Amino acid sequence: MASETMRAAVLHTAGGPSALKVQPWPKPTPTAGQVLIRVCAFGMNRSEMFTRQGHSANAGVKLPRVLGIEAVGTVDTCPGNEFKPGDTVATCMGGMGRMFDGGYAEYTCVPVGQVQVVKTQLDWDVLGALPEMMQTAWGSLFRALRIKQGEKVLIRGGTSSVGLAAAALAKAEGCFVASTTRKSAREAFLRENGSDEVFVDGGKIAEEVRKRYPEGFGKVLELVGTTSIEDSLKCAGENGVVCMTGIAGGSWTMDSFTPMGTIPTTVCLTTYAGGPEDFMKTPLEEIAQKIKAGKMKVPHKTYSLDDIVEAHRIMEEEGAGAKMVVLTRDI
């Protein structure tokens, strides 16, 4: 008897956006400790772009592979009965789209230990924006930076999907939020989505930050990466904390790093790189409730699975300016 198939976006060889092929692909079969999810939507991430470009070969990614490090949908089958058929669930990380086939498909099979049930009803495109984006933003803010009500938070890379999510979360926590953008035309958009202050980032903002806020910021979330981390450290005030989470600037390393010369006295530098355990600590249900109640916005743009090549082109060449979400079926 022939195995069942599904539609999936498959990467056979590394390359440009057109390397992704939407085609029939074997539908996975779960075993004990796994859950088969009927995927309704998935968010897109730059890490998937890097894998598609061929930068993940050293990390053990073998092709062909269905990409996608996150997905939301309903439970189809769960041999161990950890979840009930029909449960609305979200999953991310844990080797998805890298060690095993991921979310760019109509079904994905993942370990039960990296799945959360979401009871609050949201549209699939909204829910699909949350898993990886909120795991990263929430973990950076509450685990690495340990933000508290009333603190001033600076988000370097504010128009990224994680930056927008971080602004919404920090604002909901009662923080004063400042964000950066390379384009002045994006200032109004940032203010509409949680930012109290906006800095136009031409590569260095520390001088302007100190002009407006001489005491600096207590917490700084660095999403641009190594290309701006030294300048961001100068934006932190006495006993401030800077967390490097993203590499939107495209560089993984610094040419020279001297701790005594780079990190200001009393300022702390940390990082955040979440995994499946961190995803399970993310209060996704609480976040969904805030979104449902209108207390948080989730800027996103929606595509269909058949649009995956164009969506990857936009992500690579232009940037969507919001979380990119793909619906896998007509809903």
Side-chain angles (χ1 to χ4, degrees):
M1 180 178 173
S3 61
E4 290 186 70
T5 62
M6 61 179 181
R7 296 179 74 237
V10 185
L11 181 69
H12 291 269
T13 58
S18 61
L20 290 166
K21 307 296 182 184
V22 178
Q23 63 179 86
W25 195 248
K27 179 182 174 182
T29 301
T31 58
Q34 296 180 322
V35 56
L36 180 64
I37 299 172
R38 180 181 182 269
V39 178
C40 293
F42 60 83
M44 289 176 53
N45 301 277
R46 290 180 65 83
S47 64
E48 296 147 4
M49 180 184 74
F50 295 144
T51 298
R52 191 252 301 154
Q53 292 170 335
H55 300 309
S56 300
N58 292 337
V61 177
K62 296 181 179 179
L63 303 181
R65 176 67 69 219
V66 177
L67 301 187
I69 66 170
E70 63 178 310
V72 299
T74 58
V75 171
D76 182 275
T77 310
C78 187
N81 297 317
E82 292 89 350
F83 301 97
K84 301 188 300 293
D87 279 348
T88 296
V89 293
T91 185
C92 76
M93 307 294 286
M96 287 184 69
R98 298 168 67 84
M99 300 300 103
F100 56 89
D101 285 345
Y104 282 25
E106 291 179 320
Y107 292 87
T108 189
C109 186
V110 302
V112 296
Q114 64 178 69
V115 178
Q116 288 196 46
V117 173
V118 181
K119 296 182 179 180
T120 299
Q121 292 187 345
L122 297 174
D123 289 342
W124 287 115
D125 57 331
V126 177
L127 186 60
L130 303 186
E132 172 61 9
M133 179 179 72
M134 286 300 176
Q135 178 270 132
T136 304
W138 188 88
S140 298
L141 292 175
F142 291 95
R143 297 193 62 217
L145 289 173
R146 303 176 189 178
I147 66 168
K148 296 178 181 178
Q149 182 179 3
E151 289 189 309
K152 294 201 298 293
V153 179
L154 172 64
I155 301 170
R156 192 81 180 256
T159 56
S160 66
S161 61
V162 173
L164 292 166
L169 288 168
K171 190 68 175 178
E173 189 66 15
C175 295
F176 177 90
V177 180
S179 298
T180 72
T181 174
R182 291 176 297 170
K183 301 176 181 178
S184 59
R186 301 286 281 172
E187 179 173 349
F189 173 73
L190 287 172
R191 290 185 182 276
E192 290 168 2
N193 286 279
S195 295
D196 300 291
E197 178 72 277
V198 176
F199 294 94
V200 177
D201 192 348
K204 293 185 183 298
I205 62 168
E207 184 176 348
E208 182 62 25
V209 165
R210 291 295 183 165
K211 283 182 181 178
R212 300 190 207 178
Y213 302 92
E215 72 283 7
F217 281 78
K219 304 293 170 65
V220 180
L221 176 56
E222 174 60 77
L223 298 174
V224 177
T226 59
T227 57
S228 60
I229 187 67
E230 187 169 357
D231 188 63
S232 290
L233 284 161
K234 296 176 182 177
C235 298
E238 183 91 4
N239 299 316
V241 183
V242 179
C243 174
M244 178 175 156
T245 296
I247 55 160
S251 177
W252 294 83
T253 60
M254 298 176 69
D255 292 334
S256 64
F257 176 76
T258 55
M260 294 289 287
T262 304
I263 304 175
T265 299
T266 78
V267 172
C268 296
L269 173 62
T270 187
T271 65
Y272 181 79
E277 301 86 2
D278 301 290
F279 170 67
M280 295 304 291
K281 294 175 182 176
T282 305
L284 210 59
E285 174 63 30
E286 179 184 326
I287 292 170
Q289 290 174 4
K290 289 180 179 179
I291 294 169
K292 184 77 171 181
K295 296 179 180 178
M296 287 176 55
K297 295 181 180 179
V298 184
H300 64 284
K301 294 184 179 179
T302 306
Y303 305 83
S304 72
L305 187 60
D306 289 322
D307 296 328
I308 194 69
V309 170
E310 175 64 8
H312 260 253
R313 185 196 67 76
I314 292 170
M315 179 166 60
E316 182 172 348
E317 297 178 6
E318 305 169 17
K323 181 68 175 181
M324 303 176 75
V325 180
V326 175
L327 298 175
T328 61
R329 56 186 84 234
D330 293 331
I331 299 171

